[in-house]
Amino acid sequence: MLQRLIAILFFLSAVIPICGQQGIGDDSISQTILSSPQKYADAVSAKAKSIEEKLDKQSQKALDQFKKQEEKIIRKLSKLDSSAAKQLLATSTARFKELQEKLSNPGKLTQYIPQLDSLSTSLDFLQQSEMLSQVKEVKEKLSDAIAKTEALKVQLQKAETIKAFLKERKELLKQSLEKLGLVKELKRLNKQVYYYAQQLHEYKAILKDPKK
């Protein structure tokens, strides 16, 4: 409820000054209100689509790189401890399979991201406006923006799942790597996991910055 109120106040604070500049006539104000939601919806659609596509590509790249590095580690490990390598390979195969199943059905975004929630709330508010809902073009643009925002939420949930998975695999591999003195390989894993987490953080930061 509070978020919805904030969104309403934010929208009105953006529209009212423009209305004042355009004049006080009802027609002028109506035109301003009708044009602003379209521009806003277009901007939200573009930003959500851009982040969703980049995040999807980066997530797949991070997974592929980590899996490749893990397979390389297992090959090295097999020369030092074949029994441990065999067990690690079986665990790795099973866990990656479980991850793919999770990514196929990620569910709702569990992490609260204020900026994304504000976008969704403001779009819902505009869509529920009786006056705006009567304008086909505005309605379509708002629906498109909402769909792209929801797609971004799904992608962010997938990214959070991948981040947790990579961290878990790194910790598991760390035990074997430290025991066998494979420090260089451990550093590579740490770097990969850290880099992905940072990129995810940066994508979330873009939602805060209206200039990006």
Side-chain angles (χ1 to χ4, degrees):
M1 187 67 182
L2 179 59
Q3 288 292 332
R4 183 172 296 280
L5 178 59
I6 292 173
I8 293 172
L9 292 174
F10 174 80
F11 176 66
L12 291 178
S13 68
V15 171
I16 290 174
I18 299 174
C19 294
Q21 293 171 8
Q22 297 291 332
I24 60 173
D26 290 341
D27 291 341
S28 178
I29 292 175
S30 297
Q31 286 299 316
T32 302
I33 294 176
L34 288 172
S35 64
S36 294
Q38 292 183 51
K39 292 178 181 178
Y40 178 65
D42 284 341
V44 171
S45 292
K47 177 175 279 192
K49 182 181 179 181
S50 175
I51 297 175
E52 191 269 333
E53 289 178 347
K54 289 177 181 177
L55 188 53
D56 181 38
K57 184 178 179 180
Q58 193 56 50
S59 294
Q60 190 58 54
K61 181 180 177 181
L63 270 178
D64 290 342
Q65 288 180 337
F66 191 92
K67 188 174 184 180
K68 185 178 180 180
Q69 183 64 22
E70 185 167 334
E71 289 170 350
K72 185 178 179 180
I73 288 171
I74 292 173
R75 285 196 299 270
K76 281 191 175 184
L77 183 59
S78 65
K79 297 176 182 178
L80 301 171
D81 189 338
S82 59
S83 178
K86 188 176 180 180
Q87 184 178 1
L88 190 59
L89 178 60
T91 303
S92 175
T93 301
R95 292 294 292 121
F96 270 96
K97 185 178 179 181
E98 288 175 12
L99 175 65
Q100 290 304 324
E101 290 174 355
K102 281 185 179 181
L103 295 180
S104 298
N105 186 26
K108 292 184 178 181
L109 180 64
T110 54
Q111 184 184 31
Y112 175 67
I113 304 175
Q115 295 73 27
L116 191 55
D117 186 69
S118 296
L119 285 179
S120 297
T121 303
S122 60
L123 289 170
D124 288 340
F125 164 68
L126 291 173
Q127 191 180 49
Q128 291 171 18
S129 169
E130 186 175 342
M131 180 172 63
L132 296 178
S133 65
Q134 295 173 3
V135 183
K136 184 180 179 181
E137 186 178 358
V138 176
K139 187 176 181 180
E140 289 176 350
K141 285 182 178 292
L142 287 172
S143 295
D144 182 60
I146 290 171
K148 285 185 170 61
T149 302
E150 289 303 311
L152 176 56
K153 286 181 180 180
V154 170
Q155 196 59 242
L156 283 167
Q157 179 57 42
K158 286 183 179 181
E160 288 295 333
T161 300
I162 291 171
K163 185 178 77 169
F165 173 82
L166 294 179
K167 184 178 179 181
E168 176 194 292
R169 293 303 302 164
K170 184 200 73 172
E171 290 301 318
L172 180 63
L173 290 166
K174 179 181 177 182
Q175 298 173 17
S176 297
L177 293 174
E178 287 181 335
K179 189 183 298 183
L180 297 170
L182 298 174
V183 180
K184 189 183 293 184
E185 284 73 11
L186 179 57
K187 285 182 178 180
R188 286 198 186 101
L189 287 181
N190 284 334
K191 186 176 180 180
Q192 287 178 352
V193 174
Y194 174 78
Y195 182 63
Y196 181 69
Q198 281 297 109
Q199 286 186 312
L200 179 54
H201 176 75
E202 287 172 12
Y203 284 128
K204 291 177 183 178
I206 293 174
L207 291 169
K208 299 180 183 179
D209 192 348
K211 295 179 182 179
K212 295 183 179 180

